[in-house]
């Protein structure tokens, strides 16, 4: 039962990450092609988010996996 919950959360985070990455790539392209005074800063922010977002999503999944294992061990010890 818990494995299904973990897989559901993992799929949800993967879909969210894919959507956000697509949005970041699209915004990066738009910012690179437009000529506005704030475009340079927005382009830098978009590129930074494109790099940091997958790292953060991986970290969230890793932390969830580790805390879920600890919770399962505690439940097994109590049983």
């Amino acid at each position: 039962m818990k494995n299904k919950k973990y897989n559901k959360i993992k799929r949800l985070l993967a879909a969210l990450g894919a959507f956000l990455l697509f949005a970041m790539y699209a915004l990066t392209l738009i910012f690179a092609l437009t000529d506005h005074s704030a475009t340079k800063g927005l382009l830098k922010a978009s590129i930074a988010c494109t790099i940091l977002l997958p790292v953060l999503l991986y970290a969230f999944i890793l932390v969830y996996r580790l805390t879920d294992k600890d919770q399962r061990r505690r439940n097994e010890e109590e049983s």
Side-chain angles (χ1 to χ4, degrees):
M1 182 91 165
K2 288 186 181 187
N3 196 19
K4 287 183 181 181
K5 182 180 176 183
Y6 173 72
N7 286 337
K8 193 175 196 179
I9 290 172
K10 191 174 177 180
R11 274 184 282 174
L12 179 66
L13 286 175
L16 178 66
F19 174 76
L20 289 175
L21 278 176
F22 176 74
M24 282 295 116
Y25 292 142
L27 287 174
T28 301
L29 180 64
I30 291 168
F31 294 148
L33 296 176
T34 58
D35 187 26
H36 192 270
S37 61
T39 301
K40 189 174 183 179
L42 292 172
L43 180 62
K44 287 180 184 178
S46 181
I47 292 171
C49 287
T50 301
I51 295 168
L52 292 176
L53 184 68
V55 172
L56 288 175
L57 285 174
Y58 177 76
F60 289 148
I61 291 172
L62 183 64
V63 167
Y64 177 79
R65 188 181 305 160
L66 291 174
T67 57
D68 190 50
K69 284 182 183 177
D70 289 341
Q71 185 66 27
R72 278 192 250 160
R73 282 188 205 146
R74 290 182 192 143
N75 289 341
E76 288 175 2
E77 289 174 359
E78 290 175 0
S79 299

